[in-house]
Amino acid sequence: MHCVSSKHSVMMVSFCQGALLLSLAAAMAVYADMKVDCGPDFVTLMWTESRPQADTSLLRLGNCFPTSFSAGEAYFYVDLTDCNFRRLVTGDALVYSNDLTYVASADSYNLAYTHPVVCAYERPKDWYATIYDPVFKTYSLGDLQFNIGLMNDDFSGPAESTRFPLGSIIPIMASVVQETHQPLLLLLEECVAATTPELYPESTMYPIISNKGCLLESVSSRSKFEPRQKSSEIRLSLQTFTFAMGEEVFIHCKLLAWDPNGLDSTKKACHFVEGHGWELLDNLAQSNLCDCCESKCKSRRQRSVASEKHGMVQKAVIGPFTITDVNS
């Protein structure tokens, strides 16, 4: 059963199978009806077009083509994990959003347009635990597998607790598995702390690593990169901070798997050592690559499409964990 049928000049709000469906007004008048069902883990959408010149095969839901189409109609049956659906957690709601787009051909009389589709569900009580393992997380990118986790004090296993007293050290380890690749060097290009499992423009963030691999926290704390055990692994001892103390904290990082022979001022791991200044983790003799940590790090090389093939970037999230006040 379809739960919404709406002309596009009208804003509709309706409940469907426990989900809240929002059909927002398009920026231009579009002569069509849209019917959507928000299932527990899928969405069906039927688009009925009244303009005879419109080619419904040119409709896209995110990056997905219609499941089927005919003259005047397009039908989509897709999983919420497909088609580039965006996921947002807000309050007690788990929201999935996407865009239905008409890709007009060059000789078409019909203009291109985009129509937002949003399904919101009641957030499961164990949603963090199901989607975000607070201790360890694995990501796959092509034939590479990235791992990041909170570790115990000597990095020999996963952390036994996700509560860290203020001033203590949070051991973090990331690695990349590279079965079919040449040896790769794993770097932490950027890390920020936030109170949400996903980052939004309005998110309050606390920078930890920025400027292409500069560990900012090492300037004013005991935070540091630990000596490598192997090139495909990087260990970070992060001293706890006062940001969001007592709240759930997530650390968002960009992991970069790179050619070990391709280090430059934008591909590096640098930390500040008192009495010595900025040092390069992987070769003290090349610590001049860290000089830009006080300004803006830019590559001196002419970048090309070919040079980008030396590495791959993966976004990763670890948490939630909590920093506690030792006096409370």
Side-chain angles (χ1 to χ4, degrees):
M1 180 183 70
H2 295 299
C3 57
V4 169
S5 175
S6 63
K7 292 290 184 182
H8 283 200
S9 58
V10 181
M11 177 177 288
M12 300 291 296
V13 179
S14 175
F15 284 95
C16 172
Q17 299 179 0
L20 175 67
L21 173 71
L22 307 178
S23 178
L24 304 178
M28 55 175 287
V30 181
Y31 302 99
D33 286 329
M34 183 176 72
K35 298 179 180 179
V36 180
D37 280 336
C38 296
D41 55 6
F42 65 90
V43 173
T44 64
L45 184 153
M46 175 66 78
W47 182 271
T48 304
E49 179 68 61
S50 61
R51 295 172 298 172
Q53 309 94 335
D55 183 353
T56 57
S57 70
L58 298 177
L59 285 163
R60 304 287 183 268
L61 181 58
N63 62 349
C64 287
F65 289 70
T67 306
S68 62
F69 61 89
S70 61
E73 285 189 342
Y75 175 73
F76 294 85
Y77 182 102
V78 299
D79 290 337
L80 289 169
T81 54
D82 293 335
C83 307
N84 288 339
F85 268 90
R86 299 177 294 272
R87 184 177 58 203
L88 170 67
V89 182
T90 173
D92 293 327
L94 180 59
V95 181
Y96 290 87
S97 63
N98 212 327
D99 296 310
L100 182 72
T101 304
Y102 183 79
V103 184
S105 57
D107 57 351
S108 173
Y109 291 102
N110 297 309
L111 297 176
Y113 57 82
T114 298
H115 187 76
V117 176
V118 181
C119 288
Y121 303 81
E122 183 179 356
R123 172 178 152 186
K125 294 180 180 179
D126 62 346
W127 187 80
Y128 284 148
T130 301
I131 305 300
Y132 291 94
D133 185 326
V135 175
F136 200 79
K137 184 67 177 175
T138 297
Y139 301 84
S140 294
L141 181 61
D143 56 356
L144 295 181
Q145 179 178 292
F146 291 86
N147 304 298
I148 188 168
L150 300 175
M151 307 299 290
N152 59 16
D153 291 344
D154 61 1
F155 291 90
S156 62
E160 297 178 358
S161 173
T162 56
R163 295 178 66 83
F164 299 90
L166 182 63
S168 65
I169 296 295
I170 305 174
I172 297 172
M173 185 172 73
S175 63
V176 59
V177 178
Q178 49 200 54
E179 294 179 0
T180 61
H181 275 258
Q182 63 178 17
L184 292 172
L185 184 72
L186 185 65
L187 301 168
L188 292 173
E189 184 177 79
E190 177 183 297
C191 290
V192 299
T195 56
T196 54
E198 296 188 35
L199 293 178
Y200 314 109
E202 65 273 15
S203 295
T204 301
M205 292 175 281
Y206 181 84
I208 297 170
I209 298 173
S210 69
N211 213 357
K212 304 295 184 179
C214 300
L215 179 55
L216 302 182
E217 275 296 285
S218 62
V219 175
S220 58
S221 75
R222 295 183 291 128
S223 298
K224 62 178 179 177
F225 290 115
E226 298 291 348
R228 287 191 191 269
Q229 304 300 307
K230 48 188 175 181
S231 65
S232 59
E233 180 181 286
I234 189 165
R235 298 179 176 187
L236 169 63
S237 289
L238 178 66
Q239 186 174 7
T240 51
F241 35 78
T242 56
F243 171 78
M245 193 163 56
E247 300 180 47
E248 287 188 336
V249 176
F250 297 82
I251 293 181
H252 301 256
C253 292
K254 288 183 182 178
L255 309 180
L256 172 64
W258 194 253
D259 179 355
N261 299 316
L263 291 180
D264 63 22
S265 58
T266 64
K267 309 292 185 299
K268 63 188 188 303
C270 297
H271 55 196
F272 189 87
V273 178
E274 189 174 356
H276 296 272
W278 288 97
E279 291 186 355
L280 185 69
L281 170 65
D282 296 292
N283 188 346
L284 285 177
Q286 289 186 282
S287 291
N288 62 303
L289 295 180
C290 303
D291 291 348
C292 62
C293 285
E294 298 291 346
S295 54
K296 179 71 173 179
C297 294
K298 299 179 181 179
S299 177
R300 297 178 181 177
R301 302 178 186 178
Q302 184 68 32
R303 302 188 70 174
S304 65
V305 173
S307 70
E308 291 302 311
K309 294 181 180 179
H310 288 290
M312 301 183 78
V313 176
Q314 174 65 54
K315 292 183 179 180
V317 183
I318 190 167
F321 61 89
T322 305
I323 299 171
T324 60
D325 187 346
V326 294
N327 297 317
S328 61

